mmCIF file with all atom_site columns, all heavy atoms in Angstrom:
data_model
loop_
_atom_site.group_PDB
_atom_site.id
_atom_site.type_symbol
_atom_site.label_atom_id
_atom_site.label_alt_id
_atom_site.label_comp_id
_atom_site.label_asym_id
_atom_site.label_entity_id
_atom_site.label_seq_id
_atom_site.pdbx_PDB_ins_code
_atom_site.Cartn_x
_atom_site.Cartn_y
_atom_site.Cartn_z
_atom_site.occupancy
_atom_site.B_iso_or_equiv
_atom_site.pdbx_formal_charge
_atom_site.auth_seq_id
_atom_site.auth_comp_id
_atom_site.auth_asym_id
_atom_site.auth_atom_id
_atom_site.pdbx_PDB_model_num
ATOM 1   N N   . ASP A 1 47 ? 7.718   -114.965 247.429 1.00 0.00 ? 47 ASP A N   1
ATOM 2   C CA  . ASP A 1 47 ? 7.259   -115.098 248.808 1.00 0.00 ? 47 ASP A CA  1
ATOM 3   C C   . ASP A 1 47 ? 6.471   -116.395 248.966 1.00 0.00 ? 47 ASP A C   1
ATOM 4   O O   . ASP A 1 47 ? 6.091   -117.027 247.980 1.00 0.00 ? 47 ASP A O   1
ATOM 5   C CB  . ASP A 1 47 ? 6.428   -113.889 249.246 1.00 0.00 ? 47 ASP A CB  1
ATOM 6   C CG  . ASP A 1 47 ? 5.126   -113.757 248.482 1.00 0.00 ? 47 ASP A CG  1
ATOM 7   O OD1 . ASP A 1 47 ? 4.218   -114.580 248.713 1.00 0.00 ? 47 ASP A OD1 1
ATOM 8   O OD2 . ASP A 1 47 ? 5.002   -112.846 247.654 1.00 0.00 ? 47 ASP A OD2 1
ATOM 9   N N   . SER A 1 48 ? 6.198   -116.741 250.201 1.00 0.00 ? 48 SER A N   1
ATOM 10  C CA  . SER A 1 48 ? 5.634   -118.057 250.502 1.00 0.00 ? 48 SER A CA  1
ATOM 11  C C   . SER A 1 48 ? 4.184   -118.210 250.069 1.00 0.00 ? 48 SER A C   1
ATOM 12  O O   . SER A 1 48 ? 3.681   -119.328 250.006 1.00 0.00 ? 48 SER A O   1
ATOM 13  C CB  . SER A 1 48 ? 5.745   -118.338 252.008 1.00 0.00 ? 48 SER A CB  1
ATOM 14  O OG  . SER A 1 48 ? 5.009   -117.374 252.748 1.00 0.00 ? 48 SER A OG  1
ATOM 15  N N   . ILE A 1 49 ? 3.495   -117.108 249.789 1.00 0.00 ? 49 ILE A N   1
ATOM 16  C CA  . ILE A 1 49 ? 2.078   -117.203 249.432 1.00 0.00 ? 49 ILE A CA  1
ATOM 17  C C   . ILE A 1 49 ? 1.802   -116.690 248.019 1.00 0.00 ? 49 ILE A C   1
ATOM 18  O O   . ILE A 1 49 ? 0.662   -116.418 247.665 1.00 0.00 ? 49 ILE A O   1
ATOM 19  C CB  . ILE A 1 49 ? 1.185   -116.467 250.455 1.00 0.00 ? 49 ILE A CB  1
ATOM 20  C CG1 . ILE A 1 49 ? 1.547   -114.974 250.541 1.00 0.00 ? 49 ILE A CG1 1
ATOM 21  C CG2 . ILE A 1 49 ? 1.277   -117.129 251.821 1.00 0.00 ? 49 ILE A CG2 1
ATOM 22  C CD1 . ILE A 1 49 ? 0.571   -114.164 251.363 1.00 0.00 ? 49 ILE A CD1 1
ATOM 23  N N   . ASP A 1 50 ? 2.858   -116.563 247.214 1.00 0.00 ? 50 ASP A N   1
ATOM 24  C CA  . ASP A 1 50 ? 2.685   -116.201 245.802 1.00 0.00 ? 50 ASP A CA  1
ATOM 25  C C   . ASP A 1 50 ? 1.861   -114.926 245.630 1.00 0.00 ? 50 ASP A C   1
ATOM 26  O O   . ASP A 1 50 ? 0.919   -114.857 244.834 1.00 0.00 ? 50 ASP A O   1
ATOM 27  C CB  . ASP A 1 50 ? 2.018   -117.345 245.036 1.00 0.00 ? 50 ASP A CB  1
ATOM 28  C CG  . ASP A 1 50 ? 2.851   -118.625 245.054 1.00 0.00 ? 50 ASP A CG  1
ATOM 29  O OD1 . ASP A 1 50 ? 4.082   -118.517 245.122 1.00 0.00 ? 50 ASP A OD1 1
ATOM 30  O OD2 . ASP A 1 50 ? 2.260   -119.715 245.003 1.00 0.00 ? 50 ASP A OD2 1
ATOM 31  N N   . SER A 1 51 ? 2.227   -113.894 246.378 1.00 0.00 ? 51 SER A N   1
ATOM 32  C CA  . SER A 1 51 ? 1.406   -112.681 246.435 1.00 0.00 ? 51 SER A CA  1
ATOM 33  C C   . SER A 1 51 ? 1.237   -112.003 245.081 1.00 0.00 ? 51 SER A C   1
ATOM 34  O O   . SER A 1 51 ? 0.143   -111.552 244.732 1.00 0.00 ? 51 SER A O   1
ATOM 35  C CB  . SER A 1 51 ? 2.011   -111.680 247.420 1.00 0.00 ? 51 SER A CB  1
ATOM 36  O OG  . SER A 1 51 ? 2.121   -112.230 248.701 1.00 0.00 ? 51 SER A OG  1
ATOM 37  N N   . CYS A 1 52 ? 2.324   -111.905 244.325 1.00 0.00 ? 52 CYS A N   1
ATOM 38  C CA  . CYS A 1 52 ? 2.224   -111.237 243.022 1.00 0.00 ? 52 CYS A CA  1
ATOM 39  C C   . CYS A 1 52 ? 1.330   -112.039 242.090 1.00 0.00 ? 52 CYS A C   1
ATOM 40  O O   . CYS A 1 52 ? 0.461   -111.480 241.410 1.00 0.00 ? 52 CYS A O   1
ATOM 41  C CB  . CYS A 1 52 ? 3.614   -111.050 242.423 1.00 0.00 ? 52 CYS A CB  1
ATOM 42  S SG  . CYS A 1 52 ? 3.635   -110.077 240.897 1.00 0.00 ? 52 CYS A SG  1
ATOM 43  N N   . TYR A 1 53 ? 1.506   -113.359 242.058 1.00 0.00 ? 53 TYR A N   1
ATOM 44  C CA  . TYR A 1 53 ? 0.661   -114.201 241.217 1.00 0.00 ? 53 TYR A CA  1
ATOM 45  C C   . TYR A 1 53 ? -0.812  -114.063 241.597 1.00 0.00 ? 53 TYR A C   1
ATOM 46  O O   . TYR A 1 53 ? -1.680  -113.978 240.727 1.00 0.00 ? 53 TYR A O   1
ATOM 47  C CB  . TYR A 1 53 ? 1.050   -115.670 241.347 1.00 0.00 ? 53 TYR A CB  1
ATOM 48  C CG  . TYR A 1 53 ? 2.439   -116.029 240.883 1.00 0.00 ? 53 TYR A CG  1
ATOM 49  C CD1 . TYR A 1 53 ? 3.116   -117.103 241.453 1.00 0.00 ? 53 TYR A CD1 1
ATOM 50  C CD2 . TYR A 1 53 ? 3.078   -115.315 239.875 1.00 0.00 ? 53 TYR A CD2 1
ATOM 51  C CE1 . TYR A 1 53 ? 4.391   -117.457 241.030 1.00 0.00 ? 53 TYR A CE1 1
ATOM 52  C CE2 . TYR A 1 53 ? 4.355   -115.656 239.450 1.00 0.00 ? 53 TYR A CE2 1
ATOM 53  C CZ  . TYR A 1 53 ? 5.010   -116.729 240.035 1.00 0.00 ? 53 TYR A CZ  1
ATOM 54  O OH  . TYR A 1 53 ? 6.267   -117.083 239.618 1.00 0.00 ? 53 TYR A OH  1
ATOM 55  N N   . SER A 1 54 ? -1.095  -114.051 242.900 1.00 0.00 ? 54 SER A N   1
ATOM 56  C CA  . SER A 1 54 ? -2.501  -113.961 243.322 1.00 0.00 ? 54 SER A CA  1
ATOM 57  C C   . SER A 1 54 ? -3.098  -112.619 242.921 1.00 0.00 ? 54 SER A C   1
ATOM 58  O O   . SER A 1 54 ? -4.283  -112.533 242.569 1.00 0.00 ? 54 SER A O   1
ATOM 59  C CB  . SER A 1 54 ? -2.636  -114.188 244.829 1.00 0.00 ? 54 SER A CB  1
ATOM 60  O OG  . SER A 1 54 ? -2.114  -113.113 245.577 1.00 0.00 ? 54 SER A OG  1
ATOM 61  N N   . GLY A 1 55 ? -2.299  -111.557 242.954 1.00 0.00 ? 55 GLY A N   1
ATOM 62  C CA  . GLY A 1 55 ? -2.781  -110.260 242.490 1.00 0.00 ? 55 GLY A CA  1
ATOM 63  C C   . GLY A 1 55 ? -3.106  -110.275 241.009 1.00 0.00 ? 55 GLY A C   1
ATOM 64  O O   . GLY A 1 55 ? -4.101  -109.698 240.564 1.00 0.00 ? 55 GLY A O   1
ATOM 65  N N   . VAL A 1 56 ? -2.263  -110.965 240.228 1.00 0.00 ? 56 VAL A N   1
ATOM 66  C CA  . VAL A 1 56 ? -2.510  -111.101 238.799 1.00 0.00 ? 56 VAL A CA  1
ATOM 67  C C   . VAL A 1 56 ? -3.826  -111.832 238.553 1.00 0.00 ? 56 VAL A C   1
ATOM 68  O O   . VAL A 1 56 ? -4.674  -111.385 237.766 1.00 0.00 ? 56 VAL A O   1
ATOM 69  C CB  . VAL A 1 56 ? -1.341  -111.845 238.118 1.00 0.00 ? 56 VAL A CB  1
ATOM 70  C CG1 . VAL A 1 56 ? -1.745  -112.319 236.718 1.00 0.00 ? 56 VAL A CG1 1
ATOM 71  C CG2 . VAL A 1 56 ? -0.117  -110.950 238.030 1.00 0.00 ? 56 VAL A CG2 1
ATOM 72  N N   . PHE A 1 57 ? -4.019  -112.975 239.230 1.00 0.00 ? 57 PHE A N   1
ATOM 73  C CA  . PHE A 1 57 ? -5.237  -113.756 238.996 1.00 0.00 ? 57 PHE A CA  1
ATOM 74  C C   . PHE A 1 57 ? -6.489  -113.020 239.471 1.00 0.00 ? 57 PHE A C   1
ATOM 75  O O   . PHE A 1 57 ? -7.538  -113.083 238.821 1.00 0.00 ? 57 PHE A O   1
ATOM 76  C CB  . PHE A 1 57 ? -5.131  -115.118 239.678 1.00 0.00 ? 57 PHE A CB  1
ATOM 77  C CG  . PHE A 1 57 ? -4.253  -116.094 238.953 1.00 0.00 ? 57 PHE A CG  1
ATOM 78  C CD1 . PHE A 1 57 ? -3.079  -116.553 239.522 1.00 0.00 ? 57 PHE A CD1 1
ATOM 79  C CD2 . PHE A 1 57 ? -4.595  -116.541 237.684 1.00 0.00 ? 57 PHE A CD2 1
ATOM 80  C CE1 . PHE A 1 57 ? -2.259  -117.451 238.848 1.00 0.00 ? 57 PHE A CE1 1
ATOM 81  C CE2 . PHE A 1 57 ? -3.778  -117.435 236.994 1.00 0.00 ? 57 PHE A CE2 1
ATOM 82  C CZ  . PHE A 1 57 ? -2.598  -117.892 237.576 1.00 0.00 ? 57 PHE A CZ  1
ATOM 83  N N   . MET A 1 58 ? -6.388  -112.315 240.585 1.00 0.00 ? 58 MET A N   1
ATOM 84  C CA  . MET A 1 58 ? -7.544  -111.561 241.059 1.00 0.00 ? 58 MET A CA  1
ATOM 85  C C   . MET A 1 58 ? -7.917  -110.477 240.061 1.00 0.00 ? 58 MET A C   1
ATOM 86  O O   . MET A 1 58 ? -9.099  -110.296 239.726 1.00 0.00 ? 58 MET A O   1
ATOM 87  C CB  . MET A 1 58 ? -7.254  -110.946 242.431 1.00 0.00 ? 58 MET A CB  1
ATOM 88  C CG  . MET A 1 58 ? -8.425  -110.209 243.033 1.00 0.00 ? 58 MET A CG  1
ATOM 89  S SD  . MET A 1 58 ? -8.028  -109.570 244.687 1.00 0.00 ? 58 MET A SD  1
ATOM 90  C CE  . MET A 1 58 ? -9.558  -108.716 245.064 1.00 0.00 ? 58 MET A CE  1
ATOM 91  N N   . GLU A 1 59 ? -6.918  -109.780 239.554 1.00 0.00 ? 59 GLU A N   1
ATOM 92  C CA  . GLU A 1 59 ? -7.196  -108.712 238.591 1.00 0.00 ? 59 GLU A CA  1
ATOM 93  C C   . GLU A 1 59 ? -7.706  -109.272 237.266 1.00 0.00 ? 59 GLU A C   1
ATOM 94  O O   . GLU A 1 59 ? -8.599  -108.685 236.633 1.00 0.00 ? 59 GLU A O   1
ATOM 95  C CB  . GLU A 1 59 ? -5.938  -107.870 238.357 1.00 0.00 ? 59 GLU A CB  1
ATOM 96  C CG  . GLU A 1 59 ? -6.140  -106.677 237.440 1.00 0.00 ? 59 GLU A CG  1
ATOM 97  C CD  . GLU A 1 59 ? -7.171  -105.689 237.946 1.00 0.00 ? 59 GLU A CD  1
ATOM 98  O OE1 . GLU A 1 59 ? -7.354  -105.567 239.178 1.00 0.00 ? 59 GLU A OE1 1
ATOM 99  O OE2 . GLU A 1 59 ? -7.821  -105.029 237.111 1.00 0.00 ? 59 GLU A OE2 1
ATOM 100 N N   . TYR A 1 60 ? -7.183  -110.399 236.843 1.00 0.00 ? 60 TYR A N   1
ATOM 101 C CA  . TYR A 1 60 ? -7.624  -111.019 235.595 1.00 0.00 ? 60 TYR A CA  1
ATOM 102 C C   . TYR A 1 60 ? -9.123  -111.300 235.622 1.00 0.00 ? 60 TYR A C   1
ATOM 103 O O   . TYR A 1 60 ? -9.819  -111.087 234.621 1.00 0.00 ? 60 TYR A O   1
ATOM 104 C CB  . TYR A 1 60 ? -6.853  -112.319 235.373 1.00 0.00 ? 60 TYR A CB  1
ATOM 105 C CG  . TYR A 1 60 ? -7.261  -113.086 234.134 1.00 0.00 ? 60 TYR A CG  1
ATOM 106 C CD1 . TYR A 1 60 ? -6.977  -112.601 232.859 1.00 0.00 ? 60 TYR A CD1 1
ATOM 107 C CD2 . TYR A 1 60 ? -7.925  -114.310 234.240 1.00 0.00 ? 60 TYR A CD2 1
ATOM 108 C CE1 . TYR A 1 60 ? -7.353  -113.314 231.720 1.00 0.00 ? 60 TYR A CE1 1
ATOM 109 C CE2 . TYR A 1 60 ? -8.302  -115.019 233.106 1.00 0.00 ? 60 TYR A CE2 1
ATOM 110 C CZ  . TYR A 1 60 ? -8.014  -114.527 231.852 1.00 0.00 ? 60 TYR A CZ  1
ATOM 111 O OH  . TYR A 1 60 ? -8.379  -115.225 230.733 1.00 0.00 ? 60 TYR A OH  1
ATOM 112 N N   . SER A 1 61 ? -9.619  -111.743 236.782 1.00 0.00 ? 61 SER A N   1
ATOM 113 C CA  . SER A 1 61 ? -11.040 -112.094 236.875 1.00 0.00 ? 61 SER A CA  1
ATOM 114 C C   . SER A 1 61 ? -11.929 -110.955 237.348 1.00 0.00 ? 61 SER A C   1
ATOM 115 O O   . SER A 1 61 ? -13.055 -110.814 236.885 1.00 0.00 ? 61 SER A O   1
ATOM 116 C CB  . SER A 1 61 ? -11.204 -113.288 237.826 1.00 0.00 ? 61 SER A CB  1
ATOM 117 O OG  . SER A 1 61 ? -10.649 -114.460 237.266 1.00 0.00 ? 61 SER A OG  1
ATOM 118 N N   . MET A 1 62 ? -11.437 -110.117 238.251 1.00 0.00 ? 62 MET A N   1
ATOM 119 C CA  . MET A 1 62 ? -12.283 -109.102 238.877 1.00 0.00 ? 62 MET A CA  1
ATOM 120 C C   . MET A 1 62 ? -12.157 -107.719 238.231 1.00 0.00 ? 62 MET A C   1
ATOM 121 O O   . MET A 1 62 ? -13.040 -106.891 238.359 1.00 0.00 ? 62 MET A O   1
ATOM 122 C CB  . MET A 1 62 ? -11.955 -109.003 240.369 1.00 0.00 ? 62 MET A CB  1
ATOM 123 C CG  . MET A 1 62 ? -12.046 -110.342 241.109 1.00 0.00 ? 62 MET A CG  1
ATOM 124 S SD  . MET A 1 62 ? -13.656 -111.163 240.952 1.00 0.00 ? 62 MET A SD  1
ATOM 125 C CE  . MET A 1 62 ? -14.650 -110.107 242.011 1.00 0.00 ? 62 MET A CE  1
ATOM 126 N N   . ARG A 1 63 ? -11.020 -107.453 237.600 1.00 0.00 ? 63 ARG A N   1
ATOM 127 C CA  . ARG A 1 63 ? -10.820 -106.241 236.804 1.00 0.00 ? 63 ARG A CA  1
ATOM 128 C C   . ARG A 1 63 ? -11.026 -104.960 237.601 1.00 0.00 ? 63 ARG A C   1
ATOM 129 O O   . ARG A 1 63 ? -11.642 -103.993 237.136 1.00 0.00 ? 63 ARG A O   1
ATOM 130 C CB  . ARG A 1 63 ? -11.724 -106.279 235.561 1.00 0.00 ? 63 ARG A CB  1
ATOM 131 C CG  . ARG A 1 63 ? -11.462 -107.538 234.729 1.00 0.00 ? 63 ARG A CG  1
ATOM 132 C CD  . ARG A 1 63 ? -12.317 -107.658 233.497 1.00 0.00 ? 63 ARG A CD  1
ATOM 133 N NE  . ARG A 1 63 ? -11.951 -108.856 232.741 1.00 0.00 ? 63 ARG A NE  1
ATOM 134 C CZ  . ARG A 1 63 ? -12.478 -109.210 231.578 1.00 0.00 ? 63 ARG A CZ  1
ATOM 135 N NH1 . ARG A 1 63 ? -13.414 -108.467 231.024 1.00 0.00 ? 63 ARG A NH1 1
ATOM 136 N NH2 . ARG A 1 63 ? -12.077 -110.297 230.980 1.00 0.00 ? 63 ARG A NH2 1
ATOM 137 N N   . THR A 1 64 ? -10.464 -104.948 238.789 1.00 0.00 ? 64 THR A N   1
ATOM 138 C CA  . THR A 1 64 ? -10.642 -103.799 239.679 1.00 0.00 ? 64 THR A CA  1
ATOM 139 C C   . THR A 1 64 ? -9.947  -102.547 239.168 1.00 0.00 ? 64 THR A C   1
ATOM 140 O O   . THR A 1 64 ? -10.375 -101.430 239.478 1.00 0.00 ? 64 THR A O   1
ATOM 141 C CB  . THR A 1 64 ? -10.102 -104.133 241.074 1.00 0.00 ? 64 THR A CB  1
ATOM 142 O OG1 . THR A 1 64 ? -8.689  -104.418 240.994 1.00 0.00 ? 64 THR A OG1 1
ATOM 143 C CG2 . THR A 1 64 ? -10.800 -105.346 241.661 1.00 0.00 ? 64 THR A CG2 1
ATOM 144 N N   . MET A 1 65 ? -8.889  -102.717 238.373 1.00 0.00 ? 65 MET A N   1
ATOM 145 C CA  . MET A 1 65 ? -8.139  -101.563 237.890 1.00 0.00 ? 65 MET A CA  1
ATOM 146 C C   . MET A 1 65 ? -8.917  -100.748 236.855 1.00 0.00 ? 65 MET A C   1
ATOM 147 O O   . MET A 1 65 ? -8.532  -99.627  236.530 1.00 0.00 ? 65 MET A O   1
ATOM 148 C CB  . MET A 1 65 ? -6.811  -102.014 237.276 1.00 0.00 ? 65 MET A CB  1
ATOM 149 C CG  . MET A 1 65 ? -5.883  -102.744 238.236 1.00 0.00 ? 65 MET A CG  1
ATOM 150 S SD  . MET A 1 65 ? -5.186  -101.679 239.508 1.00 0.00 ? 65 MET A SD  1
ATOM 151 C CE  . MET A 1 65 ? -4.074  -100.663 238.549 1.00 0.00 ? 65 MET A CE  1
ATOM 152 N N   . LEU A 1 66 ? -10.017 -101.294 236.357 1.00 0.00 ? 66 LEU A N   1
ATOM 153 C CA  . LEU A 1 66 ? -10.811 -100.582 235.356 1.00 0.00 ? 66 LEU A CA  1
ATOM 154 C C   . LEU A 1 66 ? -11.798 -99.605  235.986 1.00 0.00 ? 66 LEU A C   1
ATOM 155 O O   . LEU A 1 66 ? -12.479 -98.864  235.267 1.00 0.00 ? 66 LEU A O   1
ATOM 156 C CB  . LEU A 1 66 ? -11.562 -101.579 234.468 1.00 0.00 ? 66 LEU A CB  1
ATOM 157 C CG  . LEU A 1 66 ? -10.682 -102.489 233.601 1.00 0.00 ? 66 LEU A CG  1
ATOM 158 C CD1 . LEU A 1 66 ? -11.532 -103.449 232.790 1.00 0.00 ? 66 LEU A CD1 1
ATOM 159 C CD2 . LEU A 1 66 ? -9.781  -101.664 232.681 1.00 0.00 ? 66 LEU A CD2 1
ATOM 160 N N   . GLY A 1 67 ? -11.906 -99.595  237.306 1.00 0.00 ? 67 GLY A N   1
ATOM 161 C CA  . GLY A 1 67 ? -12.755 -98.622  237.978 1.00 0.00 ? 67 GLY A CA  1
ATOM 162 C C   . GLY A 1 67 ? -14.213 -99.032  238.058 1.00 0.00 ? 67 GLY A C   1
ATOM 163 O O   . GLY A 1 67 ? -14.585 -100.190 237.831 1.00 0.00 ? 67 GLY A O   1
ATOM 164 N N   . GLY A 1 68 ? -15.056 -98.059  238.344 1.00 0.00 ? 68 GLY A N   1
ATOM 165 C CA  . GLY A 1 68 ? -16.463 -98.320  238.632 1.00 0.00 ? 68 GLY A CA  1
ATOM 166 C C   . GLY A 1 68 ? -17.259 -98.907  237.485 1.00 0.00 ? 68 GLY A C   1
ATOM 167 O O   . GLY A 1 68 ? -18.270 -99.571  237.700 1.00 0.00 ? 68 GLY A O   1
ATOM 168 N N   . GLY A 1 69 ? -16.841 -98.682  236.259 1.00 0.00 ? 69 GLY A N   1
ATOM 169 C CA  . GLY A 1 69 ? -17.582 -99.204  235.127 1.00 0.00 ? 69 GLY A CA  1
ATOM 170 C C   . GLY A 1 69 ? -17.175 -100.605 234.717 1.00 0.00 ? 69 GLY A C   1
ATOM 171 O O   . GLY A 1 69 ? -17.683 -101.134 233.723 1.00 0.00 ? 69 GLY A O   1
ATOM 172 N N   . ALA A 1 70 ? -16.261 -101.232 235.476 1.00 0.00 ? 70 ALA A N   1
ATOM 173 C CA  . ALA A 1 70 ? -15.752 -102.544 235.095 1.00 0.00 ? 70 ALA A CA  1
ATOM 174 C C   . ALA A 1 70 ? -16.755 -103.642 235.407 1.00 0.00 ? 70 ALA A C   1
ATOM 175 O O   . ALA A 1 70 ? -17.599 -103.520 236.292 1.00 0.00 ? 70 ALA A O   1
ATOM 176 C CB  . ALA A 1 70 ? -14.447 -102.812 235.839 1.00 0.00 ? 70 ALA A CB  1
ATOM 177 N N   . SER A 1 71 ? -16.650 -104.725 234.671 1.00 0.00 ? 71 SER A N   1
ATOM 178 C CA  . SER A 1 71 ? -17.434 -105.922 234.960 1.00 0.00 ? 71 SER A CA  1
ATOM 179 C C   . SER A 1 71 ? -16.484 -107.096 235.086 1.00 0.00 ? 71 SER A C   1
ATOM 180 O O   . SER A 1 71 ? -15.404 -107.102 234.480 1.00 0.00 ? 71 SER A O   1
ATOM 181 C CB  . SER A 1 71 ? -18.453 -106.196 233.850 1.00 0.00 ? 71 SER A CB  1
ATOM 182 O OG  . SER A 1 71 ? -17.805 -106.358 232.601 1.00 0.00 ? 71 SER A OG  1
ATOM 183 N N   . VAL A 1 72 ? -16.868 -108.089 235.864 1.00 0.00 ? 72 VAL A N   1
ATOM 184 C CA  . VAL A 1 72 ? -15.992 -109.225 236.089 1.00 0.00 ? 72 VAL A CA  1
ATOM 185 C C   . VAL A 1 72 ? -15.865 -110.062 234.810 1.00 0.00 ? 72 VAL A C   1
ATOM 186 O O   . VAL A 1 72 ? -16.690 -109.953 233.895 1.00 0.00 ? 72 VAL A O   1
ATOM 187 C CB  . VAL A 1 72 ? -16.496 -110.115 237.243 1.00 0.00 ? 72 VAL A CB  1
ATOM 188 C CG1 . VAL A 1 72 ? -16.576 -109.329 238.527 1.00 0.00 ? 72 VAL A CG1 1
ATOM 189 C CG2 . VAL A 1 72 ? -17.844 -110.747 236.905 1.00 0.00 ? 72 VAL A CG2 1
ATOM 190 N N   . ARG A 1 73 ? -14.835 -110.871 234.758 1.00 0.00 ? 73 ARG A N   1
ATOM 191 C CA  . ARG A 1 73 ? -14.606 -111.733 233.601 1.00 0.00 ? 73 ARG A CA  1
ATOM 192 C C   . ARG A 1 73 ? -15.795 -112.667 233.397 1.00 0.00 ? 73 ARG A C   1
ATOM 193 O O   . ARG A 1 73 ? -16.251 -113.316 234.329 1.00 0.00 ? 73 ARG A O   1
ATOM 194 C CB  . ARG A 1 73 ? -13.322 -112.542 233.847 1.00 0.00 ? 73 ARG A CB  1
ATOM 195 C CG  . ARG A 1 73 ? -13.011 -113.582 232.786 1.00 0.00 ? 73 ARG A CG  1
ATOM 196 C CD  . ARG A 1 73 ? -11.650 -114.218 233.031 1.00 0.00 ? 73 ARG A CD  1
ATOM 197 N NE  . ARG A 1 73 ? -11.574 -114.901 234.311 1.00 0.00 ? 73 ARG A NE  1
ATOM 198 C CZ  . ARG A 1 73 ? -11.887 -116.179 234.509 1.00 0.00 ? 73 ARG A CZ  1
ATOM 199 N NH1 . ARG A 1 73 ? -12.352 -116.919 233.506 1.00 0.00 ? 73 ARG A NH1 1
ATOM 200 N NH2 . ARG A 1 73 ? -11.744 -116.724 235.698 1.00 0.00 ? 73 ARG A NH2 1
ATOM 201 N N   . PRO A 1 74 ? -16.307 -112.774 232.181 1.00 0.00 ? 74 PRO A N   1
ATOM 202 C CA  . PRO A 1 74 ? -17.417 -113.699 231.928 1.00 0.00 ? 74 PRO A CA  1
ATOM 203 C C   . PRO A 1 74 ? -16.933 -115.143 232.010 1.00 0.00 ? 74 PRO A C   1
ATOM 204 O O   . PRO A 1 74 ? -15.737 -115.428 231.900 1.00 0.00 ? 74 PRO A O   1
ATOM 205 C CB  . PRO A 1 74 ? -17.851 -113.345 230.502 1.00 0.00 ? 74 PRO A CB  1
ATOM 206 C CG  . PRO A 1 74 ? -16.634 -112.748 229.879 1.00 0.00 ? 74 PRO A CG  1
ATOM 207 C CD  . PRO A 1 74 ? -15.913 -112.018 230.974 1.00 0.00 ? 74 PRO A CD  1
ATOM 208 N N   . ALA A 1 75 ? -17.880 -116.055 232.174 1.00 0.00 ? 75 ALA A N   1
ATOM 209 C CA  . ALA A 1 75 ? -17.545 -117.473 232.341 1.00 0.00 ? 75 ALA A CA  1
ATOM 210 C C   . ALA A 1 75 ? -17.576 -118.228 231.016 1.00 0.00 ? 75 ALA A C   1
ATOM 211 O O   . ALA A 1 75 ? -17.838 -119.434 230.988 1.00 0.00 ? 75 ALA A O   1
ATOM 212 C CB  . ALA A 1 75 ? -18.501 -118.114 233.337 1.00 0.00 ? 75 ALA A CB  1
ATOM 213 N N   . SER A 1 76 ? -17.281 -117.541 229.930 1.00 0.00 ? 76 SER A N   1
ATOM 214 C CA  . SER A 1 76 ? -17.385 -118.154 228.608 1.00 0.00 ? 76 SER A CA  1
ATOM 215 C C   . SER A 1 76 ? -16.409 -119.300 228.404 1.00 0.00 ? 76 SER A C   1
ATOM 216 O O   . SER A 1 76 ? -16.645 -120.197 227.589 1.00 0.00 ? 76 SER A O   1
ATOM 217 C CB  . SER A 1 76 ? -17.173 -117.091 227.523 1.00 0.00 ? 76 SER A CB  1
ATOM 218 O OG  . SER A 1 76 ? -15.975 -116.374 227.748 1.00 0.00 ? 76 SER A OG  1
#
Side-chain angles (χ1 to χ4, degrees):
D47 65 71
S48 61
I49 60 171
D50 299 330
S51 302
C52 186
Y53 297 151
S54 70
V56 165
F57 284 115
M58 183 178 178
E59 184 60 29
Y60 178 69
S61 292
M62 306 304 287
R63 303 180 177 183
T64 62
M65 299 290 290
L66 295 179
S71 59
V72 300
R73 175 174 61 90
S76 52

